[in-house]
């Protein structure tokens, strides 16, 4: 069947409405970013309050990521059976419950349990937002609208770091200091309940995905949504018929539908997994989960380390804005290549600077010149990641898979991302104690390896309709 394209002016006329819909869906990304990064400011307080070492702390930080992998794996099934909007509501409820529970944990084991609940919500949000946005966005704007997910994530990270710093300062510069009888690190973890409630309310205000509605036999509703997002000028009969034809030629995806090819899974699924793993193996979340720990390990005090965490989050926002302006203009692949080169260089410089660290543990120091070099390199690394892999991977995962397996394949790729994230997160404290410089050499190696991966494995998706993706 010939592919139909909505008139560009129709998309522009309804862009404001589509922007609101995409922003509401991406609110899950805000919570994803907040919940992921808020632990950065709470790490020191958790260690002191529960009197635990790096091993137990790493476990509590990383355990949420296993929950995220589980949430991402089930999100595709939930999206196909409950619908995209109801799945968002479920994630909002889990975020809220996790926030309250994490605020008042009697033991570190109970805190870990609530972190898992929050992790499941993160995993669901990481899948459902790009899936939904890709399905409602007009083709001409899909890349920029899909970028809302990453923008929401980095805003969530930034707000969490701002909240961490403000709460820490209000408590006298100590995360174990008290505010209204509650320690600052507890407030840090509990504040996410507020955006969780906002996410739930916004999810109630947006329409269901037209592709889900057509799959469920609710074509009248689907036509109305298509009119809202693609404009009065679009041929609704043709668009509905196009989507229906694709859906009728397939069946509900199962794991066996992802199988095929020489190495078990379909090549496109392996590419999605590879993109997800590379995104994490460059060590980006060390900056967002452990930056306060990282900078304290080279002699910077807790308050200043949280301020540095905030500054890197702001750089992250700037890079993401740049990516949003470029992703539909120059494409996904050029951005990813440029980012890989920049990350490899900046991580290499950081590794060199950290090689001059003297001492270990609380007595470790780094001379001012090398500390400045490491700080600049870390900020450049975050910027290069933000304008490339931070946005591009989520855009690609929402676009690159054929319709018949999109939700399930995205779930598998996102699960791989969370497992890779967990591996980096759980190993960093011990690796940093062993050799901080060598740890960054490893991250630089993966950034370097991502260059041929992008060059030879990634196909450009700019300007293509979802129905044309195989």
């Amino acid at each position: 069947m010939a592919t139909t394209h909505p008139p560009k002016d129709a998309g522009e006329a309804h862009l404001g409405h589509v922007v609101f819909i995409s922003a509401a869906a991406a609110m899950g990304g805000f919570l994803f970013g907040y919940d992921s990064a808020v632990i950065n400011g709470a790490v020191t307080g958790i260690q002191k309050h529960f009197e635990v070492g790096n091993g137990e702390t790493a476990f509590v930080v990383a355990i949420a990521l296993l929950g995220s992998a589980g949430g991402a794996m089930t999100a595709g099934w939930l999206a196909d059976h409950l619908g995209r909007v109801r799945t968002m509501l479920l994630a909002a409820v889990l975020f809220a419950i996790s926030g309250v529970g994490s605020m008042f944990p009697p033991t570190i084991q109970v805190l870990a349990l609530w972190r898992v609940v929050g992790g499941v919500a993160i995993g669901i949000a990481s899948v459902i937002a790009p899936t939904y946005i890709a399905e409602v966005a007009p083709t001409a704007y899909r890349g920029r609208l899909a970028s809302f997910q990453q923008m929401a994530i980095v805003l969530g990270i930034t707000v969490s770091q701002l909240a961490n710093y403000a709460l820490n300062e209000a408590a006298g510069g100590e995360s174990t200091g008290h505010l209204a009888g509650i320690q600052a690190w507890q407030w840090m973890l509990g504040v996410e309940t507020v955006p969780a409630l906002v996410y739930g309310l916004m999810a109630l205000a947006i329409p269901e995905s037209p592709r889900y509605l057509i799959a469920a036999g609710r074509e009248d509703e689907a036509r109305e949504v298509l009119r809202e997002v693609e404009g009065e000028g679009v041929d609704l009969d043709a668009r509905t018929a196009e989507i229906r034809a694709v859906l009728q030629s397939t069946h509900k995806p199962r794991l066996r539908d992802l199988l095929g090819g020489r190495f078990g899974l379909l090549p496109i699924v392996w590419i999605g997994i590879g993109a997800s793993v590379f995104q994490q193996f460059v060590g980006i979340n060390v900056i967002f989960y452990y930056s306060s720990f990282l900078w304290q390990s080279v002699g910077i005090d807790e308050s200043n380390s949280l301020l540095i965490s905030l500054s890197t989050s702001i750089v992250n926002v700037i890079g993401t804005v740049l990516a949003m302006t470029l992703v539909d203009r120059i494409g996904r692949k050029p951005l990813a290549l440029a980012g890989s080169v920049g990350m490899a260089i900046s991580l290499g410089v950081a590794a060199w600077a950290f090689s001059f660290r003297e001492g270990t543990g609380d007595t470790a120091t780094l001379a001012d010149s090398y500390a400045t070099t490491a700080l600049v390199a870390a900020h450049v690394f975050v910027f290069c990641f933000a304008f490339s892999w931070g946005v591009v991977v989520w855009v690609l995962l929402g676009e690159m898979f054929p319709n018949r397996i999109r939700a399930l394949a995205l779930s598998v790729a996102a699960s791989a991302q969370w497992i890779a994230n967990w591996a980096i997160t759980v190993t960093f404290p011990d690796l940093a104690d062993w050799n901080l410089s060598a740890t960054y050499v490893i991250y630089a190696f993966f950034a370097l390896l991502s260059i041929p991966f992008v060059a030879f494995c990634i196909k450009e998706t700019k300007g293509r309709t979802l129905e044309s993706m195989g």
Side-chain angles (χ1 to χ4, degrees):
M1 174 177 288
T3 300
T4 59
H5 297 272
K8 188 174 181 181
D9 58 348
E12 290 172 347
H14 292 77
L15 187 58
H17 182 59
V18 178
V19 165
F20 170 77
I21 291 172
S22 300
M27 188 65 189
F30 179 92
L31 282 156
F32 166 179
Y34 189 98
D35 192 278
S36 296
V38 71
I39 196 69
N40 177 39
V43 163
T44 302
I46 291 169
Q47 280 189 319
K48 292 178 179 178
H49 179 77
F50 293 110
E51 299 180 346
V52 294
N54 286 345
E56 294 93 333
T57 303
F59 174 79
V60 170
V61 173
I63 192 66
L65 303 174
L66 295 182
S68 298
M73 181 62 75
T74 60
W77 183 90
L78 290 169
D80 286 337
H81 286 77
L82 299 180
R84 281 47 167 164
V85 171
R86 287 181 181 175
T87 303
M88 292 181 207
L89 291 171
L90 174 62
V93 170
L94 293 176
F95 273 123
I97 292 172
S98 172
V100 174
S102 297
M103 191 174 183
F104 302 105
T107 66
I108 195 166
Q109 291 80 13
V110 173
L111 175 59
L113 175 63
W114 290 121
R115 293 273 299 156
V116 171
V117 173
V120 172
I122 291 173
I124 293 173
S126 73
V127 171
I128 194 61
T131 298
Y132 177 85
I133 293 171
E135 290 181 346
V136 300
T139 300
Y141 303 101
R142 194 176 60 235
R144 275 167 284 180
L145 292 173
S147 301
F148 276 30
Q149 164 79 346
Q150 183 63 20
M151 173 55 76
I153 292 171
V154 300
L155 287 175
I157 291 171
T158 303
V159 170
S160 74
Q161 301 312 306
L162 179 61
N164 285 350
Y165 179 72
L167 289 167
N168 193 74
E169 290 301 295
E174 293 286 340
S175 53
T176 50
H178 286 77
L179 293 169
I182 299 172
Q183 293 185 38
W185 68 267
Q186 294 175 271
W187 282 111
M188 294 175 189
L189 298 180
V191 166
E192 88 167 303
T193 304
V194 176
L197 295 175
V198 174
Y199 178 35
L201 292 173
M202 292 183 76
L204 290 172
I206 61 177
E208 184 53 85
S209 159
R211 286 166 178 82
Y212 170 78
L213 291 171
I214 291 173
R218 296 156 60 184
E219 289 198 6
D220 289 342
E221 294 175 62
R223 289 165 66 89
E224 184 59 34
V225 175
L226 286 170
R227 181 182 291 108
E228 289 178 15
V229 299
E230 297 191 1
E232 296 290 344
V234 71
D235 186 338
L236 292 176
D237 290 333
R239 287 292 290 133
T240 303
E242 179 184 12
I243 295 170
R244 187 195 314 117
V246 172
L247 293 172
Q248 288 178 345
S249 66
T250 61
H251 58 278
K252 290 290 185 182
R254 302 170 185 169
L255 282 175
R256 67 186 180 193
D257 295 324
L258 305 185
L259 302 179
R262 192 180 308 172
F263 301 104
L265 297 173
L266 293 170
I268 191 66
V269 179
W270 279 120
I271 292 170
I273 291 172
S276 291
V277 169
F278 273 118
Q279 190 198 52
Q280 296 303 315
F281 275 14
V282 297
I284 185 63
N285 281 316
V286 166
I287 297 292
F288 296 123
Y289 298 167
Y290 288 120
S291 61
S292 63
F293 174 89
L294 170 65
W295 300 119
Q296 288 176 61
S297 75
V298 293
I300 297 173
D301 64 40
E302 183 177 355
S303 183
N304 284 330
S305 69
L306 289 175
L307 191 58
I308 292 170
S309 299
L310 177 59
S311 69
T312 53
S313 297
I314 293 171
V315 169
N316 196 18
V317 171
I318 295 170
T320 301
V321 171
L322 177 62
M324 292 178 69
T325 64
L326 297 178
V327 69
D328 277 329
R329 295 182 182 179
I330 68 173
R332 290 63 161 149
K333 192 168 181 175
L335 281 181
L337 283 171
S340 291
V341 172
M343 289 190 297
I345 294 171
S346 55
L347 285 168
V349 172
W352 173 80
F354 285 136
S355 70
F356 294 94
R357 183 177 71 157
E358 297 179 355
T360 58
D362 294 336
T363 62
T365 58
L366 190 64
D368 288 348
S369 58
Y370 298 120
T372 300
T373 300
L375 279 170
V376 171
H379 283 72
V380 171
F381 163 59
V382 169
F383 179 74
C384 291
F385 176 87
F387 80 72
S388 61
W389 282 76
V391 165
V392 167
V393 169
W394 288 113
V395 173
L396 282 172
L397 291 181
E399 296 177 331
M400 65 188 291
F401 303 114
N403 261 8
R404 63 187 177 85
I405 62 168
R406 178 171 295 112
L408 184 58
L410 203 162
S411 292
V412 170
S415 296
Q417 184 173 136
W418 289 115
I419 293 170
N421 192 344
W422 171 81
I424 291 295
T425 303
V426 79
T427 58
F428 175 74
D430 289 334
L431 285 174
D433 282 345
W434 163 66
N435 191 316
L436 184 59
S437 177
T439 301
Y440 270 78
V441 168
I442 295 170
Y443 302 153
F445 169 76
F446 281 108
L448 193 63
L449 199 60
S450 70
I451 297 173
F453 173 80
V454 174
F456 297 109
C457 298
I458 297 295
K459 293 183 179 180
E460 185 58 69
T461 57
K462 183 183 74 168
R464 296 177 61 187
T465 66
L466 296 184
E467 283 68 40
S468 70
M469 301 292 182

